[in-house]
Amino acid sequence: MARKRSLLIALTAAATLATAAPALSAQNAKPAHAPKAEAKAEKTANTTTTAANIGGAQPALLGQYGEWGAYTASPGGRKICFALAKPAKAATEPPNRPRDPAYMFIATRPAEKVNNEVSVIVGYGMKPSADAVVDVGGAKFAMYTQNDGAWIKNAAEEPRLVDAMRKGADVVVRAESARGTRTTDVYSLKGLSQALDRVSQECK
């Protein structure tokens, strides 16, 4: 069953609010596993532009927990909540290849009955038809990729992934760009459980 993709454009705004990082590639919500969906990747210059693009719904920080921020927003009048972090470590092979900022995003959208959907922005266009891999304590999960985003390939595995992340120390995301650059991003999981609890409290 096709799942709707996370509101990655909201991630852009939240990332800017949380870290004052440069703007990154972002995408509107559209169904995962549905390449004909109409949303297209776009770049945003600042939070004002981003907020306008998601219907004026600028994300609000609910709290910062370790490496993870908890946010809420209401694009199109539909409330969403999410936890957001950037990598603690990032490496490319070959070394020092340029890329946009990377982020991990765990979203809850009550109106769509979506709970703790895991998304990753890797900071570059990925190799077509190639899966990314997320690794928590040796447990590996394949991620469907499109443009610069990645989502859990088997939705049934998502609760197990989130549970492993709640208990783990870090999570590693490996992917390959369209030009053959391989990347390894390590996210600290410090504070994730608290951030997800806050998200759950806000978006019941």
Side-chain angles (χ1 to χ4, degrees), residues 10-29:
L11 180 150
T12 305
T16 308
L17 286 169
T19 65
L24 62 154
S25 293
Q27 299 173 18
N28 291 311

Side-chain angles (χ1 to χ4, degrees), residues 9 18 28 36 49 72 107 110 124 130 134 142 150-151 155 160 174 184 197:
I9 204 160
N28 291 311
K36 294 183 180 179
T49 301
T72 185
Y124 55 77
V134 58
W151 298 263
R160 186 163 65 91
R174 296 183 176 89
T184 301
D197 288 345

Side-chain angles (χ1 to χ4, degrees), residues 72 79-81 108-115 196-204:
T72 185
K79 189 173 185 178
I80 66 169
C81 300
T108 291
R109 303 193 298 279
E112 300 169 36
K113 296 181 168 42
V114 171
N115 185 50
L196 289 180
D197 288 345
R198 184 67 182 90
V199 163
S200 178
Q201 180 183 7
E202 185 70 21
C203 274
K204 294 181 179 179

Side-chain angles (χ1 to χ4, degrees), residues 3 7 23 118 144:
R3 293 180 301 153
L7 287 166
V118 180
Y144 165 84

Side-chain angles (χ1 to χ4, degrees), residues 109-134:
R109 303 193 298 279
E112 300 169 36
K113 296 181 168 42
V114 171
N115 185 50
N116 288 341
E117 181 184 73
V118 180
S119 306
V120 177
I121 286 287
V122 294
Y124 55 77
M126 282 176 283
K127 186 175 181 180
S129 303
D131 292 343
V133 176
V134 58

Side-chain angles (χ1 to χ4, degrees), residues 97 122 124-130 147 175-182:
R97 288 290 180 91
V122 294
Y124 55 77
M126 282 176 283
K127 186 175 181 180
S129 303
N147 299 323
E176 184 175 350
S177 78
R179 296 183 177 181
T181 300
R182 296 182 180 180

Side-chain angles (χ1 to χ4, degrees), residues 138-199:
K140 295 181 173 62
F141 301 82
M143 301 192 83
Y144 165 84
T145 64
Q146 188 169 357
N147 299 323
D148 63 348
W151 298 263
I152 295 301
K153 197 168 187 178
N154 182 355
E157 292 185 338
E158 205 152 45
R160 186 163 65 91
L161 169 60
V162 172
D163 184 61
M165 290 173 65
R166 278 180 174 271
K167 298 173 181 177
D170 54 47
V171 58
V172 181
V173 178
R174 296 183 176 89
E176 184 175 350
S177 78
R179 296 183 177 181
T181 300
R182 296 182 180 180
T183 59
T184 301
D185 294 328
V186 181
Y187 292 82
S188 169
L189 295 174
K190 182 180 179 181
L192 175 62
S193 287
Q194 293 94 326
L196 289 180
D197 288 345
R198 184 67 182 90
V199 163

